[in-house]
Amino acid sequence: MLKNAIVGQSGGPSAVINSTLAGVIDACFKSDDIGTLYGGRHGIEGMLAEDIIDLSALYSEDMLNRLKASPAMALGSCRFKLPSPSDGAEIYEKLEAIFKKYNIGYFFYIGGNDSMDTILKLSRYFKEAGSDIKFAGVPKTIDNDLTLTDHTPGFGSSAKYLATTMREIITDTSIYNVKSVTIVEIMGRNSGWLTLAASLPKLLGGDKPDLTYLPERPFRDDSFIEDIKHAFEKSGNIVVAVSEGLKDEQGNYVGSSCQSGAVDIFGHAYLSGVGKYLEMLVRSKLGCKVRSIELNLMQRCSSHLASKTDVEEAFSVGFNAVQLAVGGSSGFMACIKRTNSDPYSYEIIPGDIEKIANYEKLVPDRWLDLDDPGVKREIVDYILPLTKGDAEKTLDEFGLPEHFNLL
Amino acid sequence: MLKNAIVGQSGGPSAVINSTLAGVIDACFKSDDIGTLYGGRHGIEGMLAEDIIDLSALYSEDMLNRLKASPAMALGSCRFKLPSPSDGAEIYEKLEAIFKKYNIGYFFYIGGNDSMDTILKLSRYFKEAGSDIKFAGVPKTIDNDLTLTDHTPGFGSSAKYLATTMREIITDTSIYNVKSVTIVEIMGRNSGWLTLAASLPKLLGGDKPDLTYLPERPFRDDSFIEDIKHAFEKSGNIVVAVSEGLKDEQGNYVGSSCQSGAVDIFGHAYLSGVGKYLEMLVRSKLGCKVRSIELNLMQRCSSHLASKTDVEEAFSVGFNAVQLAVGGSSGFMACIKRTNSDPYSYEIIPGDIEKIANYEKLVPDRWLDLDDPGVKREIVDYILPLTKGDAEKTLDEFGLPEHFNLL
């Protein structure tokens, strides 16, 4: 009897995570080695609650195309930190029973760093238990902070949104003859990849955003104010790109003095907004017109601006993860290996989950000097190919985007 | 000797105000009655400083197309309230001298309510002074709050951005199995037109945004919390659309109670938008997961999502304003008269500036009941045609939008 497969989505949304799900579905239904494909709703949490659906009904070109054009997670998400087997034996036993009941031979988990930790723990546990279930991680995170892969699906679309929106904000803020500072806050707790993408208008040869601050380098309030004064010597309307995760020299989040100290269930500090803090700082120190803009959920869910390259690659990562698992791999994440930048090409290879889960890929040191022409070129060569092309949209009868979910 | 024309842009940006400028340029250069077309940079402020440029160089199809695809104001903007002639005689005399020097016979001002006040004052003053300069207002404001015109150019593109983005936010926030409230703050100090547009996903038959609050109706904190509790009976993820200009029963801006005494960490008055205030209110009263999203400048400058209908209409309004002025009209605003909704058609007619400047068009009372099916249909019939079609984009060699300005 053929083994079945199960797939779940976890973590924060992106514009292309459903394209990866479509790739998994397509590969499973095309495979002669997989019986039924099940979906766990709300990730591992839903699987534990046996909130499991048969995805056979989705297997049509039309359904896969609609899925590819919908942001966020059609299967729903969760923020569930799997305990170690010693702390949560009953969870592992429950999963074992459910996998047995559904005759699961393949487990696909689409997500970011926390999801790869789930793959790591499950693959270790089931291997030790003598099970031959194949566990495959499929990367998605707009943060682009997973190791061993050239980049993560979702990053290209967010980068395209950020570069486009930043250019629009630059144009919008350039029209008044009044000194002003506009601070744009971009996602990224520890890594500045997205803030680099928001700086593309400058990296490509423009003069704005005037200033860029990544979390990879300690931030100082006084240097920031000096940088702005200096920027005002060249332009009256200063635009600043900042990562939400900026930290001071002691490693505290910038602005944390006005925060409560609350943490989320993964133990991350709850951030109330570096942009708003810097806005107050500029108003207090310089007294000029200042506003902060938080790009919020829009930077991860704007599928109307999704990159065609990203959507197709996300599909391909999901598709190949299935093929690798069917070929016998387990305990891996499907990684993107760039084989050329211009024209852009890549292949999908398995990466050892032991070297991925709980690691974090930061922007390399030598890329922190954005005024260096060589660095500019390298960053552009890295990011720009991933933003290329407009993804297909599915519109409803009213001309608005039509989204699809299974919740 | 042929009389010349001058054009300026004023107020806040929109995605299509440059399309209106392109219409003015096209009509002026096609007219046998107009000599040179000048542009005043930064509106009336720039004209007073004689910051005036010859726009002849812009007259090519390529330049006009690039202009049509650029958000904000290519000529720059100002926020200058023209005093009355009795309070600012020297300003009027200076303008008279400048208009004489440049042999101006036609004055076009593209803007919103304050700009129409400028047209009112100038047309009265120059008429009394025996001048035959024609003064024409050309409407633009995403706020859609000008009278005598069916709607204003710029509203359709913002409406399209808001409806699209709201649908993406709804999808993004639907994926977690955790009770949550998402509050989306939309522009509109006194009128709720844009917040109605953001509610299109519901007005078109969906179930979200769950709640919509316009500034036309007094807002009560306690009713709001009751409304949310009620909404939680039907759904776990509540999405709320609110206008930035919500006021309480005393006419004070909602949230101003925490502005009056509150200071930021630098001791300055803490100004919080209504979204952030309501976020804090929900957290305090209900204790559930809550976030607020301010759509900020993006709702007025996202030309990547501009409506083709809006861009073409904005061009047409500018073009016809010139033709009406050349035909002898003065002291008017070019108004859009809708002649049909499906298929959408319109004509441009002059509207008496005396009945436009300093008036404000609010959402009519009977449209405030968004649960009434008849009201839903009327609002959709009004807004939806204005959002139709994707405007042409001009992209640079990197695939990013290329914007154009004259500053």
Side-chain angles (χ1 to χ4, degrees), chain A residues 202-224:
Chain A
K202 179 168 191 171
L203 298 170
L204 289 167
D207 52 7
K208 290 179 185 299
D210 303 82
L211 300 165
T212 295
Y213 299 94
L214 309 186
E216 280 83 354
R217 185 167 279 182
F219 181 89
R220 290 174 53 114
D221 286 6
D222 54 353
S223 310
F224 171 67

Side-chain angles (χ1 to χ4, degrees), chain A residues 167 171-172 176 300 396 403, chain B residues 11 167 171-172 300 396 403:
Chain A
R167 193 163 270 185
T171 299
D172 187 290
Y176 293 109
R300 71 184 194 191
D396 65 13
H403 299 158
Chain B
R167 195 163 271 183
T171 300
D172 186 292
R300 71 184 195 191
D396 66 14
H403 299 158

Side-chain angles (χ1 to χ4, degrees), chain B residues 68-85:
Chain B
K68 283 167 84 168
S70 300
M73 283 85 152
L75 283 170
S77 184
C78 68
R79 297 268 189 200
F80 183 78
K81 180 85 175 168
L82 195 63
S84 66

Side-chain angles (χ1 to χ4, degrees), chain A residues 10-14 42 45 51 70-79 159-161 163-165 167-169 171-177 182 187 200-201 204-205 221 255 257-258 270 272 276-277 279-285 291-298 300-305 380 384 387-388 390 393 395-405 407, chain B residues 10-14 18 42 45 51 70-79 159-161 163-165 167-169 171-178 182 187 200-201 204-205 264-266 268-273 276 279 283 290-298 300-305 380 384 387-388 390 393 395-405 407:
Chain A
S10 177
S14 83
H42 299 293
E45 222 169 32
D51 187 1
S70 300
M73 283 86 151
L75 283 171
S77 185
C78 68
R79 297 270 188 198
K160 181 176 175 181
Y161 170 85
T164 299
T165 300
R167 193 163 270 185
E168 289 172 342
I169 289 172
T171 299
D172 187 290
T173 55
S174 70
I175 60 165
Y176 293 109
N177 226 347
T182 302
M187 285 181 173
L200 272 175
L204 289 167
D221 286 6
S257 56
C258 60
Y270 178 82
S272 84
K276 190 55 85 177
Y277 170 80
E279 177 190 322
M280 295 187 286
L281 181 70
V282 168
R283 188 172 293 119
S284 148
K285 299 288 181 190
R291 69 161 25 105
S292 61
I293 298 175
E294 191 184 348
L295 292 176
N296 219 308
L297 305 188
M298 293 79 81
R300 71 184 194 191
C301 68
S302 288
S303 57
H304 74 267
L305 256 182
V380 165
L384 204 62
T387 67
K388 285 294 170 73
D390 291 336
K393 291 187 259 189
L395 300 179
D396 65 13
E397 56 184 312
F398 310 113
L400 292 178
E402 187 178 51
H403 299 158
F404 180 73
N405 80 56
L407 300 176
Chain B
S10 176
S14 84
N18 283 328
H42 299 294
E45 225 169 30
D51 188 0
S70 300
M73 283 85 152
L75 283 170
S77 184
C78 68
R79 297 268 189 200
K160 181 175 174 180
Y161 169 86
T164 300
T165 301
R167 195 163 271 183
E168 288 171 344
I169 289 172
T171 300
D172 186 292
T173 55
S174 70
I175 60 167
Y176 293 109
N177 226 347
V178 173
T182 303
M187 285 182 174
L200 273 175
L204 289 167
D264 68 24
I265 54 166
F266 302 105
H268 297 278
Y270 180 72
L271 302 175
S272 93
K276 190 56 83 179
E279 177 190 324
R283 188 173 293 119
V290 55
R291 69 161 25 109
S292 62
I293 298 175
E294 192 184 348
L295 291 176
N296 219 308
L297 304 188
M298 292 78 82
R300 71 184 195 191
C301 69
S302 289
S303 57
H304 74 266
L305 255 183
V380 165
L384 203 62
T387 67
K388 285 295 171 71
D390 291 336
K393 290 188 260 187
L395 300 179
D396 66 14
E397 58 185 309
F398 310 114
L400 292 179
E402 187 178 52
H403 299 158
F404 180 72
N405 80 55
L407 298 177

